[in-house]
């Protein structure tokens, strides 16, 4: 599906139309269009290999597209040049800093690349690394390294910030620290383009989510708009051993799927009847409905319903 660029309520800081990038036979980006509203977190959500990084690299000026149009800061550009780069910030997926530099030195070094930059002291505060100012990069934890990388991405006080998978591999506390920094950025007027394959990250941070798969945008909207596509469905999940089989006779409006670790997901349009049926099944089969939860659909369920696959395969 190709999503046409549409006029949005808030002015778009960036518009992309029919972007294409092939690597040999691989159609990494296959006709992608979207508009990024100002002062929002705009997220490209998709599994590994969906084309998110390639799309970002084109918009960051690291790669050239085979075809397509890019409009940024109100101007149509053939490719992202030096003048545009002064106004954007980039967190690369695999950023590594010299391990024997100190945190403050890394920020000073990157500040020197720009005509106008914020002071290292300001950035240390913004990413909560003041206590680590004199620490060597190699002594930082994964979360601290990532906060330093975000500090570097913000050093030129950019209007538009690209964050490519900012929390991959981080523990839950470190992820939440990064989320709070990202939320603070939009509150101060910055626009963020984020990529992630974590549906909870997309749901928590984004105003707009573009779901990508196989180089294409397959759905776009607010997290609520996307999940409401699944209608009034409710999902009941519990853990049961494989030999328990799957509950039968729950009615027509129910989809039952088995996931990792014995997780059984029952999607239902009639919660009361489904719960009654599950309790009957539990009583007659002797299998407990272990760790049972009842929840509304999330973006993972949207992806599953669109592609038949899970985001994190
Ligand atoms: P990930 O989350 O793993 O980074 P992604 O959604 O960012 O995935 P891309 O990295 O853009 O996806 O990759 C899209 C497709 O293009 C994949 O099939 C990938 O193997 C391929 N690809 C990416 N970079 C190159 C390259 N430099 N040369 C050849 N193929 C590439």
């Amino acid at each position: 599906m190709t999503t046409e660029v549409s006029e949005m309520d808030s002015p778009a800081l960036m518009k992309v139309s029919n972007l294409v990038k092939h690597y040999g036979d691989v159609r990494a980006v296959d006709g992608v269009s979207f508009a990024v509203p100002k002062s929002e977190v705009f997220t490209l959500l998709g599994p590994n290999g969906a084309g998110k990084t390639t799309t970002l690299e084109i918009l960051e000026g690291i790669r050239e597209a085979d075809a397509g149009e890019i409009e940024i800061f109100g101007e149509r550009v053939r490719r992202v040049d030096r003048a545009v780069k002064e106004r954007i910030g980039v967190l690369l997926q695999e950023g590594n800093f010299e391990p024997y530099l100190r945190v403050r030195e890394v920020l000073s070094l990157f500040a020197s690349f720009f005509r106008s930059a914020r002071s290292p002291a300001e950035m240390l505060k913004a990413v909560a690394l003041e206590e680590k100012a004199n620490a060597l990069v190699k002594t930082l934890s994964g979360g601290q390294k990532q906060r330093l990388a975000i500090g570097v991405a913000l050093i030129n006080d950019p209007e538009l910030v690209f964050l490519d998978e900012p929390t991959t591999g981080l523990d839950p506390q470190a992820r939440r620290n990064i989320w709070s920094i990202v939320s603070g950025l939009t509150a101060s007027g910055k626009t963020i383009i984020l990529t992630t394959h974590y549906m909870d990250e997309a749901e928590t941070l984004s105003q707009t989510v573009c779901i990508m798969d196989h180089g294409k945008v397959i759905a776009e909207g607010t997290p609520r708009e996307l999940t409401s596509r699944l209608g009034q469905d409710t999902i009941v999940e519990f853990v049961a051993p494989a030999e328990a089989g799957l509950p039968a006779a729950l009615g027509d409006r129910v989809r039952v799927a088995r996931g990792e670790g014995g997780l059984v997901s029952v999607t239902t349009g009639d919660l009361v009847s489904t719960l009654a049926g599950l309790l009957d099944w539990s009583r007659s089969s002797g299998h407990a409905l272990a760790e049972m939860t009842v929840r509304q659909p999330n973006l993972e369920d949207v992806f599953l319903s669109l592609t038949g696959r899970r985001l994190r395969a």
Side-chain angles (χ1 to χ4, degrees), residues 207-228:
Q207 281 72 50
T208 306
V209 176
C210 224
I211 302 182
M212 283 188 74
D213 193 34
H214 296 310
K216 293 181 190 292
V217 174
I218 57 170
E220 184 181 348
T222 65
R224 185 181 284 268
E225 280 164 1
L226 290 168
T227 51
S228 68

Side-chain angles (χ1 to χ4, degrees), residues 21-23 48 55 160 170 200 208 242-243 305 311:
K21 178 77 186 175
H22 294 176
Y23 299 112
N48 289 337
T55 303
L160 177 62
L170 299 186
D200 57 340
T208 306
E243 61 272 18
S305 80
L311 267 169

Side-chain angles (χ1 to χ4, degrees), residues 23 26 28 47-54 63 93 165 197:
Y23 299 112
V26 178
N48 289 337
K52 309 180 299 292
T53 298
T54 304
R63 289 189 191 280
Q93 208 178 90
E165 307 219 351
H197 53 253

Side-chain angles (χ1 to χ4, degrees), residues 12-150:
L13 204 69
M14 169 172 262
K15 287 183 188 174
V16 171
S17 306
N18 295 316
L19 210 61
V20 174
K21 178 77 186 175
H22 294 176
Y23 299 112
D25 292 343
V26 178
R27 301 162 79 87
V29 178
D30 197 10
V32 163
S33 302
F34 54 73
V36 180
K38 197 170 180 320
S39 304
E40 282 196 4
V41 177
F42 178 93
T43 297
L44 299 177
L45 173 72
N48 289 337
K52 309 180 299 292
T53 298
T54 304
T55 303
L56 242 59
E57 286 176 347
I58 294 167
L59 303 181
E60 293 160 353
I62 296 171
R63 289 189 191 280
E64 198 161 356
D66 297 334
E69 286 166 3
I70 303 170
E71 193 184 305
I72 181 166
F73 305 130
E75 292 201 23
R76 182 155 291 186
V77 293
R78 177 79 196 94
R79 67 170 297 163
V80 174
D81 62 11
R82 179 80 212 170
V84 172
K85 284 183 188 173
E86 288 279 340
R87 299 171 70 184
I88 65 174
V90 175
L91 173 80
L92 296 174
Q93 208 178 90
E94 284 163 25
N96 263 326
F97 302 119
E98 169 57 45
Y100 288 95
L101 278 182
R102 295 182 193 282
V103 167
R104 190 196 304 276
E105 291 169 342
V106 171
L107 292 166
S108 299
L109 176 67
F110 280 89
S112 72
F113 297 159
F114 293 96
R115 274 198 288 271
S116 142
R118 292 172 69 186
S119 72
E122 270 181 286
M123 290 327 303
L124 287 167
K125 186 157 188 274
V127 296
L129 281 178
E130 289 145 304
E131 285 175 15
K132 293 287 173 185
N134 294 314
L136 295 178
V137 165
K138 74 184 186 93
T139 66
L140 299 180
S141 70
Q144 289 165 344
K145 273 192 192 130
Q146 199 62 339
R147 297 215 298 276
L148 174 58
I150 292 178

